[in-house]
Amino acid sequence: MAEPFPLQPSLWHATAPVAPQTPPLASDARADVCIVGAGYAGLSTALHLAEAGVSVVVLEAREPGWGASGRNGGQVIPGIKYDPSEIVSKYGTEAGAALVSFVGSTADLVFGLIEKHGMEVPHRRAGWIQGAHTPAMVETVKRRADEWAMRGIAARFLDADAVGRLIGTDRYLGGWLDPRGGGVQPLAYARGLARAAQKAGAAIHGQSPVTDLRRNGGNWVVRTAQGASVTAPRVVIATNGYTGDLIPKLRQTVIRPNSFIVATEPLSDNIAGTILPGGQVTSDTRQLLLYFRKDHTNRLLMGGRGPFREPRDAADWSHLERVIGKMYPQAKGLSFDYRWCGRVALTRDFLPHLHEPEPGLLVDIGCMGRGVGLQTAMGRAMALYLSTGDKASLPFPVVPITPLPLHALNELYVSAIIAWYRLTDGGMKDRAA
């Protein structure tokens, strides 16, 4: 497996507050719960367990937030791929309503934790806009806005003129605005979660890749590459898009495409006023979506799929740079100061999966591109389950580990689709002359 793209070239690494001290595990330790992976899911689980008085050790192969949690677009979007009516249809009236409430509150949790713990996290909560790129998708987003509005959310449909004014481009035929959404500096948020968890009593060890996991009586022994281990009756695996082979066949349950992002130089005031002037974050209805926003340094970020493989040179981001020029002609000629990427974990049904292959071993995988809010909330739910034993605390059912049929061919298929996507600049056509 190729070495993953490093964190350092990202805008987030350049603008985040200094990382907390998370020294490697130097000697054997014991805890009530050992967590493998210090992204949003693992750190949120650790924070909420520690606040409940449960002793926790977190083991991270690199540093907290090194994976997708420190590389994503920083968009805090509530909900999941499915609309409320679809969730209720899938899970039934009672369970479906509970799940709608859970996914609808994920952004509230993120912004609430930032405030509660006084995290040093640049953030803004001006809402999320989803732009519709086809007439059929206009009807979809209209229905989506109506469904959330019926549940008391101040969501509203946007016609072509309204979405054009808010986003600053004529590329969308309509859209909807969800006021619960917003943006954060994602690596700063991961580091804020880590600091809060440490303050609550959790021990976090970076540079401690886990190489072995096995039962010993009623406990699990979690061994790191340096030889030191953690013994605990309960273990959480929260490695998502950077999942390896620690749990047999787990990596084959997801597709892990690379999500690529570019960031421009800081925008001048006259250009910034024409691009997302209200400060919303946005993504669209394409299957391989485009997502974009301005950050706290007034740079324009554009994200989307890139090569399935790890990048080789700046050309691997060129399609996103062209998209900015097509969407915002006034931004043509801007320099691109940062280019980076990270892995996204996608399950077959586009839902996060919870597995419990053996007693005391809990696995959470599948961020679906909404990991900031979703995985923060999954961490809180897993902490409640681990501290009480009540499975009703978990928002999704525990399911068996089921590898994707012909997993390697699935990856080849996705690679081919992504290649088309890059050649067509995200499926964005040139304007008619």
Side-chain angles (χ1 to χ4, degrees):
M1 188 180 299
E3 181 68 13
F5 190 78
L7 176 63
Q8 189 169 357
S10 73
L11 168 65
W12 308 135
H13 186 272
T15 61
V18 65
Q21 295 296 309
T22 55
L25 184 69
S27 58
D28 293 348
R30 286 184 172 271
D32 294 326
V33 179
C34 179
I35 298 170
V36 181
Y40 299 139
L43 293 170
S44 177
T45 306
L47 168 61
H48 289 97
L49 281 173
E51 287 183 328
V54 178
S55 65
V56 185
V57 173
V58 182
L59 300 176
E60 163 59 42
R62 310 280 184 145
E63 63 172 282
W66 189 90
S69 295
R71 301 162 183 261
N72 63 82
Q75 299 200 18
V76 188
I77 304 173
I80 53 177
K81 177 181 173 66
Y82 299 98
D83 293 330
S85 61
E86 294 172 319
I87 294 172
V88 171
S89 176
K90 182 177 179 65
Y91 291 99
T93 302
E94 186 175 347
L99 184 53
V100 169
S101 177
F102 172 82
V103 299
S105 65
T106 57
D108 293 337
L109 179 59
V110 171
F111 292 108
L113 288 173
I114 290 172
E115 180 179 359
K116 174 183 176 181
H117 296 282
M119 296 180 189
E120 189 182 347
V121 179
H123 63 282
R124 184 174 183 181
R125 196 175 192 185
W128 166 61
I129 299 169
Q130 186 177 36
H133 71 296
T134 66
M137 285 296 107
V138 171
E139 296 305 313
T140 295
V141 298
K142 186 174 184 179
R143 184 187 71 247
R144 190 164 291 154
D146 288 345
E147 285 203 25
W148 283 110
M150 287 171 56
R151 288 164 172 81
I153 304 303
R156 60 189 176 96
F157 170 71
L158 305 170
D159 63 19
D161 287 341
V163 80
R165 287 193 301 272
L166 287 174
I167 297 181
T169 180
D170 61 3
R171 288 289 180 163
Y172 294 106
L173 306 179
W176 76 292
L177 172 64
D178 187 335
R180 297 169 295 179
V184 298
Q185 209 283 21
L187 181 58
Y189 176 55
R191 290 177 174 177
L193 283 175
R195 283 193 176 86
Q198 288 174 325
K199 187 175 181 180
I204 303 175
H205 297 282
Q207 308 304 320
S208 300
V210 173
T211 56
D212 188 60
L213 172 67
R214 63 186 62 200
R215 289 195 70 87
N216 183 12
N219 288 313
W220 290 93
V221 178
V222 188
R223 191 164 300 281
T224 62
Q226 56 264 42
S229 64
V230 177
T231 299
R234 287 160 292 179
V235 172
V236 175
I237 305 296
T239 47
N240 252 307
Y242 291 81
T243 294
D245 297 319
L246 190 65
I247 305 294
K249 300 183 179 180
L250 180 62
R251 187 162 56 89
Q252 284 73 46
T253 66
V254 293
I255 299 296
R256 303 176 304 129
N258 251 329
S259 195
F260 280 54
I261 307 178
V262 296
T264 68
E265 62 184 286
L267 304 178
S268 62
D269 289 343
N270 62 322
I271 293 179
T274 68
I275 298 173
L276 292 163
Q280 292 88 3
V281 302
T282 185
S283 55
D284 61 30
T285 53
R286 290 173 170 84
Q287 281 293 101
L288 296 178
L289 56 80
L290 295 168
Y291 57 95
F292 47 105
R293 57 173 286 215
K294 292 184 296 190
D295 82 323
H296 64 289
T297 66
N298 220 26
R299 300 173 191 271
L300 175 60
L301 282 64
M302 179 65 67
R305 292 290 176 260
F308 202 92
R309 57 168 171 76
E310 296 300 326
R312 295 172 182 150
D313 55 42
D316 286 328
W317 286 266
S318 61
H319 60 297
L320 296 174
E321 296 170 12
R322 292 193 298 269
V323 163
I324 286 180
K326 289 181 176 182
M327 190 172 290
Y328 297 113
Q330 67 271 41
K332 281 186 176 180
L334 290 176
S335 65
F336 291 89
D337 289 351
Y338 297 93
R339 301 175 180 89
W340 72 99
C341 65
R343 294 284 173 185
V344 179
L346 304 176
T347 61
R348 189 177 190 177
D349 57 7
F350 296 101
L351 292 167
H353 287 181
L354 290 169
H355 307 295
E356 203 165 22
E358 296 186 51
L361 179 60
L362 182 63
V363 178
D364 168 36
I365 192 167
C367 57
M368 302 319 128
R370 296 199 179 184
V372 185
L374 180 60
Q375 291 301 331
T376 298
M378 291 292 283
R380 182 175 64 176
M382 289 190 292
L384 187 57
Y385 169 58
L386 291 164
S387 59
T388 65
D390 182 6
K391 274 197 174 176
S393 305
L394 297 174
F396 295 90
V398 175
V399 296
I401 294 176
T402 306
L404 288 165
L406 303 173
H407 181 265
L409 291 180
N410 273 276
E411 290 194 345
L412 286 173
Y413 174 69
V414 171
S415 296
I417 293 175
I418 291 172
W420 169 87
Y421 169 92
R422 292 176 62 220
L423 286 171
T424 60
D425 295 342
M428 183 172 291
K429 298 177 181 178
D430 289 315
R431 285 185 173 89

